[in-house]
Amino acid sequence: ISGAAGRMGRRLLSLACADKEVELVQAIEYAEHPLMGKKVREVEPEAQSDVVITSTLESGVDVVIDFSSPQGTLALAKRAEQLGIALVIGTTAKDFAWRAEVKKSAAVVPLVHAHNFSLGVNLMCKVAAQMAKSLGEDFDIEIVEGHHHHKVDAPSGTALGIATSICQEIGRDVEKDLVYGREGQVGKRTKREIGMHALRMGSEIGLHTVYYASEYERLEFTHRASSRDVFAAGAIRTAKWIKGKPAAYYEMTNVLASDDDVIRLGSWARDQARARSLGMMT
């Protein structure tokens, strides 16, 4: 697990150590991190492991889950290429060139780079796009995301993922048609633009709403995360799925896909219920 001492990293440590199908073999942080050299159990009391926090990915790993920083992700991806280690990346940034650079590693190792690992959000992306297409050109679309005041990037990767799905479905350009906030004399709203707005407040884990509004009515489609464990559990499930896969770039739709989608989605839901029953979700 890369970014092991962060908010997401600690939940990953906890759930990974509690999962009998997973063996935690490395916990990685940047070299100057104040917890460097500490045991995992000292970093996250729920994770009963004597693995020590280190700064470099080493061999002997099947999959590395990364929730670090954009710069750290690039370095990790190159190292994973050298060692032939599969990548599950949850690090996000509003930098399309950076995402394209990360994606290059898929030519060498299997890679999933997800905006969000929760089942609900991935369904939201699909349904939000279908709603936009069904409602048509008479409805303006605005996206609002909210997170805790410690979050350093905006908009969230999840919000960009929702926007990307909508743009692909209705023929908009995610790099040109998104409008990030509005201030001053911005002029009349154009038909093609999709507004993107970020809230930073308190301890909000993750709030995403898509607004669809015409002259006569408004629809609001919202997802709110109650625990970071929903993302951690999804990332761990993805790591299990990608182990042994050939080198390629995989989407969460691939992870969730099955001959019987109901079975797949039911299995994911059961994983979440099992985590709650074991006291791993707070």
Side-chain angles (χ1 to χ4, degrees):
I1 296 171
S2 174
R7 289 177 177 78
M8 273 301 305
R10 294 181 190 210
R11 299 315 305 150
L12 284 163
L13 292 175
S14 178
L15 269 64
C17 289
D19 192 323
K20 294 180 180 179
E21 298 178 356
V22 174
E23 180 185 2
L24 177 68
V25 292
Q26 289 185 42
I28 302 167
E29 268 296 349
Y30 62 91
E32 297 79 18
H33 197 283
L35 295 176
M36 187 60 57
K38 296 287 187 180
K39 292 180 179 180
V40 162
R41 67 175 69 246
E42 297 176 284
V43 175
E44 173 50 63
E46 291 183 21
Q48 294 303 300
S49 171
D50 290 325
V51 168
V52 173
I53 303 290
T54 58
S55 62
T56 305
L57 178 64
E58 301 294 349
S59 59
V61 176
D62 294 314
V63 183
V64 57
I65 301 175
D66 173 68
F67 279 84
S68 58
S69 65
Q71 184 178 3
T73 297
L74 284 178
L76 182 79
K78 296 302 181 185
R79 179 65 173 165
E81 288 181 36
Q82 296 170 0
L83 300 174
I85 297 171
L87 285 158
V88 173
I89 298 174
T91 305
T92 60
K94 181 186 167 286
D95 186 335
F96 296 102
W98 171 79
R99 288 190 63 86
E101 187 65 27
V102 172
K103 190 174 182 178
K104 291 179 181 178
S105 293
V108 182
V109 295
L111 165 65
V112 171
H113 190 184
H115 295 99
N116 195 297
F117 288 98
S118 95
L119 171 61
V121 165
N122 281 281
L123 290 177
M124 183 181 188
C125 287
K126 182 177 181 179
V127 175
Q130 292 172 341
M131 289 175 66
K133 184 175 182 179
S134 296
L135 291 170
E137 294 291 326
D138 290 337
F139 281 76
D140 300 324
I141 301 173
E142 300 279 314
I143 300 171
V144 178
E145 59 95 344
H147 286 83
H148 53 88
H149 55 222
H150 298 288
K151 187 169 176 61
V152 298
D153 63 310
S156 69
T158 299
L160 284 172
I162 294 168
T164 298
S165 295
I166 291 172
C167 287
Q168 290 173 345
E169 189 70 22
I170 62 175
R172 306 284 173 87
D173 188 324
V174 72
E175 296 191 42
K176 296 179 180 179
D177 291 328
L178 297 190
V179 175
Y180 299 94
R182 296 183 179 88
E183 181 181 9
Q185 299 299 311
V186 297
K188 181 181 177 181
R189 189 187 199 281
T190 68
K191 274 291 185 181
R192 291 187 61 84
E193 72 184 60
I194 295 176
M196 180 74 78
H197 312 276
L199 310 178
R200 295 294 175 263
M201 50 189 182
S203 59
E204 184 69 56
I205 293 172
L207 171 66
H208 295 85
T209 299
V210 184
Y211 294 88
Y212 308 84
S214 73
E215 294 282 355
Y216 311 106
E217 59 184 329
R218 183 177 78 196
L219 291 83
E220 301 177 16
F221 185 16
T222 295
H223 177 276
R224 169 170 268 149
S226 301
S227 168
R228 288 185 179 85
D229 284 15
V230 71
F231 311 129
I236 290 172
R237 181 183 178 88
T238 302
K240 295 177 184 178
W241 177 88
I242 204 171
K243 178 186 174 183
K245 293 288 191 297
Y249 184 80
Y250 298 99
E251 304 278 357
M252 284 304 293
T253 51
N254 302 122
V255 180
L256 295 171
S258 156
D259 291 336
D260 186 341
D261 287 338
V262 174
I263 291 175
R264 176 67 69 178
L265 299 182
S267 175
W268 187 291
R270 285 194 298 274
D271 281 356
Q272 307 304 311
R274 178 175 177 273
R276 286 193 295 273
S277 70
L278 293 174
M280 294 187 293
M281 299 186 76
T282 58

